[in-house]
Amino acid sequence: MSVSSFNRRWAQVIIAALTHHQVRHICIAPGSRSAPLTLAAAAEPALICHTHFDERGLGFLALGLAKASRSPVALIVTSGTAVANLLPAVIEAQLTGERLIVLSADRPPELINCGANQAITQPGIFSHFARRCDLPRPTPEIGVRWLAATLDETIAAADAGALHVNCPFAEPLYGPEDDAWREWLTPLDAWPQQAIPWVTHSAPCGQAQQSDWLRWRQKRGVVIAGKMRAEEGAAVAPWAATLGWPLLADIQSQTGQPLPRADLWLNSPQAQQQLNQAELVVQFGANLISKRLLQWQQQARPQQWWLIDALPGRRDPSSQPGRRIVSQVGSWINAHPAAACTPWAPTLHTLAATMQRQASAAVVNEPEAQLAHRLAELLPPGGQLFLGNSLLVRLVDALAQLPVGYPVYCNRGASGIDGLIATLSGIQRGQPRPTLALLGDISALYDLNSLALLRQLSAPLVLVVVNNNGGRIFSLLPTPVGERERFFTLPQSVSFAPAAQMFGLDYQNVATWEPLQHAVQQGFTQRGGTLVEFSVPPDRGAETFARLVAMGAAL
């Protein structure tokens, strides 16, 4: 009986284990060594299969799917450098908690370190960024129950971040679909019809109330809202308001930013004096964008700093003394009810209102800053927003005020500019809603071939590429002026029109707010993807941002 048939049976069990752990999306790159896994996945009706010709983009496609679906997403890649191309997405997942399950096909042991084609040492290739499970070469001498139990235990233990399952297969890899080795599967006969894993592992208990919470909630507190889910942000905002505690909110928090433009006014002496009276800081989520908020986090000296985040480990770069509580935000708030108190920091509301008026006047003739300031006007009803990194996300964090609970997605774990188009494609596939995405020109160039993923969409998607001709974030940093253009900003002087044409996307080029608004609204009337190139003066966005920060510090 053929090796190819047994490879298929072995792969069937691997794929079945995924579906029993709520995997519904699987992302597949082309390859020969991975054929048993690919064919098993294609034959599984419980899976939605996604493909991409670029493994780096494939990894970020899976990351976006995991963000939006809030469930584990699997990937299949062939051996060799195909596996290595997944590293950036694996790193991001490790830092932000999305569950990726990487199935890498491999050469059998006798073909490693002997000069065989497309053979590298794959076990441990992701280092500490992923849990790992190195399967043996498929053989009927290993019982099918061992394979099912091993996969169940490994997948259950990888409750956040990436899991790497390395799967060696010997040739032949192809053959007719026959009944060979079906008796090897007999011990699992009833399992495919069941909805539970072969072995069910118990989940941790819920969050208990902090024993001294009733005392602490009577004190002067500050709430910081970092990256969290939309429904969590919608719960944090009224909780903080009931307590009378100021809420310093990141754009990723989806709280509605009740104290808007905080990144601009936090350096104000009045703000510092008020905030330094805080006795307790309660921070929900991490991965903060605002430089001013991170600076205050470093120098603040409250009696206690509580950081609540579902991911384990250190999440506070300022190393504040206090409590690190691993919990979902919603369950923690439910266990810690607010008591109605009078707001104790009215000066912050005055500063926020003043800064809002000044910013509105300052950005009128500044297209890049105006986009950030008026971003809420571009959001499609019932939709979602994806933000890129570098200068753009800082402008939005400082200037935008979004509706409470409006879904916002970013890659703010490693804050890289790689894979952003693929990520937003995965998000829209996982949550097929109208999607607005904002990226810089260098970010878009970095992932240009993932525009191919935007050709077949089930809901409108508008990608706005802010083309300021280079990485203008470096204009805010003390980079040497003489070497800035050549070594840091790297202006490319390109148009994205040919790229849109190559991948069959609708395209518009605009330079001011009103045409931009019209182009975005028109894009949401289309079923597929639209690329809007927003051509802006190179350094004006960075210069306006620096001027606004100085205005806030002078309040």
Side-chain angles (χ1 to χ4, degrees):
M1 287 184 272
S2 72
V3 171
S4 65
S5 294
F6 189 77
N7 284 340
R8 182 76 67 88
R9 304 292 167 252
W10 187 272
Q12 279 180 251
V13 177
I14 296 173
I15 298 301
L18 298 180
T19 62
H20 282 77
H21 282 271
Q22 308 309 309
V23 173
R24 294 295 174 264
H25 295 274
I26 189 163
C27 299
I28 305 172
S32 182
R33 188 65 54 168
S34 54
L37 293 167
T38 297
L39 296 174
E44 174 51 66
L47 290 177
I48 301 171
C49 296
H50 307 265
T51 60
H52 193 20
F53 50 80
D54 170 15
E55 284 87 0
R56 186 185 69 185
L58 188 84
F60 283 102
L61 172 66
L63 182 79
L65 281 162
K67 285 177 182 287
S69 67
R70 301 180 185 177
S71 59
V73 173
L75 303 97
I76 294 174
V77 296
T78 194
S79 61
T81 58
V83 191
N85 275 293
L86 298 177
L87 179 59
V90 166
I91 290 173
E92 185 70 17
Q94 190 263 345
L95 291 170
T96 56
E98 285 80 24
R99 295 183 65 191
L100 302 183
I101 303 174
V102 176
L103 306 180
S104 61
D106 199 358
R107 261 58 178 171
E110 65 270 20
L111 295 181
I112 303 299
N113 293 327
C114 65
N117 180 54
Q118 205 171 321
I120 66 172
T121 303
Q122 294 179 190
I125 193 171
F126 299 125
S127 184
H128 61 279
F129 293 110
R131 293 174 182 263
R132 56 185 279 199
C133 174
D134 301 324
L135 293 179
R137 173 182 180 155
T139 171
E141 295 176 1
I142 297 176
V144 68
R145 291 190 176 197
W146 175 89
L147 182 57
T150 297
L151 291 165
D152 275 343
E153 181 179 12
T154 303
I155 295 171
D159 56 352
L163 166 65
H164 177 206
V165 182
N166 198 55
C167 311
F169 290 103
E171 295 185 15
L173 302 167
Y174 306 95
E177 176 63 35
D178 54 30
D179 291 328
W181 297 110
R182 289 197 183 274
E183 74 280 0
W184 181 76
L185 295 173
T186 301
L188 304 185
D189 273 350
W191 189 45
Q193 287 73 45
Q194 298 173 352
I196 59 173
W198 184 253
V199 178
T200 301
H201 297 260
S202 60
C205 298
Q207 174 63 49
Q209 186 184 99
Q210 299 291 299
S211 60
D212 52 354
W213 168 242
L214 298 183
R215 174 173 64 85
W216 277 108
R217 71 180 184 179
Q218 303 297 326
K219 295 182 178 291
R220 292 188 299 272
V222 170
V223 179
I224 293 177
K227 175 180 174 289
M228 63 183 78
R229 297 174 176 178
E231 66 273 15
E232 294 171 340
V236 166
W239 183 82
T242 300
L243 286 164
W245 293 359
L247 173 58
L248 306 178
D250 192 282
I251 197 68
Q252 304 170 92
S253 70
Q254 297 147 108
T255 59
Q257 297 88 37
L259 290 172
R261 285 76 185 174
D263 185 51
L264 302 180
W265 53 257
L266 266 172
N267 271 358
S268 161
Q270 294 185 72
Q272 297 284 316
Q273 183 180 18
Q274 187 92 88
L275 288 169
N276 287 341
Q277 298 176 40
E279 298 167 283
L280 171 67
V281 174
V282 178
Q283 178 180 340
F284 297 103
N287 303 113
L288 303 175
I289 295 170
S290 166
K291 183 176 181 179
R292 266 55 60 182
L293 182 52
L294 289 167
Q295 288 171 340
W296 182 74
Q297 187 183 38
Q298 286 283 350
Q299 62 87 26
R301 295 295 180 266
Q303 296 175 33
Q304 286 272 300
W305 194 294
W306 297 1
L307 200 162
I308 298 94
D309 192 289
L311 292 181
R314 294 180 63 180
R315 309 283 289 161
D316 171 20
S318 65
S319 302
Q320 286 281 357
R323 304 176 190 179
R324 172 67 179 92
I325 301 163
V326 179
S327 171
Q328 296 290 342
V329 172
S331 60
W332 194 90
I333 286 179
N334 290 336
H336 297 78
C341 296
T342 303
W344 67 270
T347 300
L348 302 184
H349 292 270
T350 303
L351 290 171
T354 302
M355 191 69 245
Q356 189 160 358
R357 289 192 299 271
Q358 293 186 6
S360 297
V363 303
V364 170
N365 297 314
E366 304 296 341
E368 199 168 354
Q370 191 176 36
L371 164 61
H373 183 68
R374 302 180 66 175
L375 178 57
E377 299 175 39
L378 300 180
L379 299 176
Q384 56 199 359
L385 173 67
F386 180 82
L387 295 171
N389 286 322
S390 297
L391 177 61
L392 182 62
V393 75
R394 287 166 173 81
L395 282 168
V396 172
D397 184 64
L399 290 167
Q401 188 172 22
L402 306 183
V404 176
Y406 197 91
V408 178
Y409 296 95
C410 301
N411 282 357
R412 292 298 298 177
S415 302
I417 64 168
D418 45 350
L420 296 178
I421 295 175
T423 302
L424 74 92
S425 172
I427 289 167
Q428 214 236 22
R429 294 183 187 202
Q431 286 288 346
R433 301 173 176 174
T435 303
L436 175 65
L438 306 183
L439 300 184
D441 55 310
I442 299 297
S443 297
L445 286 170
Y446 206 147
D447 198 25
L448 198 65
N449 58 8
S450 288
L451 289 175
L453 298 171
L454 306 185
R455 290 182 292 191
Q456 296 178 338
L457 302 173
S458 57
L461 184 149
V462 177
L463 168 59
V464 177
V465 176
V466 180
N467 191 344
N468 56 17
N469 200 21
R472 298 299 161 180
I473 186 66
F474 294 104
S475 299
L476 291 174
L477 303 173
T479 50
V481 176
E483 287 78 31
R484 183 176 295 161
E485 291 284 295
R486 181 183 178 191
F487 293 109
F488 295 93
T489 58
L490 298 181
Q492 298 299 303
S493 302
V494 297
S495 165
F496 286 86
Q501 182 181 22
M502 179 168 64
F503 290 106
L505 303 177
D506 289 334
Y507 171 83
Q508 293 196 50
N509 189 313
V510 297
T512 57
W513 169 255
E514 286 76 15
L516 171 66
Q517 192 173 30
H518 177 74
V520 170
Q521 290 172 349
Q522 186 178 18
F524 284 121
T525 67
Q526 310 296 322
R527 181 172 179 82
T530 299
L531 195 160
V532 178
E533 185 171 0
F534 190 34
S535 300
V536 299
D539 285 315
R540 288 265 289 278
E543 291 168 355
T544 304
F545 186 34
R547 189 166 64 251
L548 287 166
V549 170
M551 290 166 57
L555 291 176

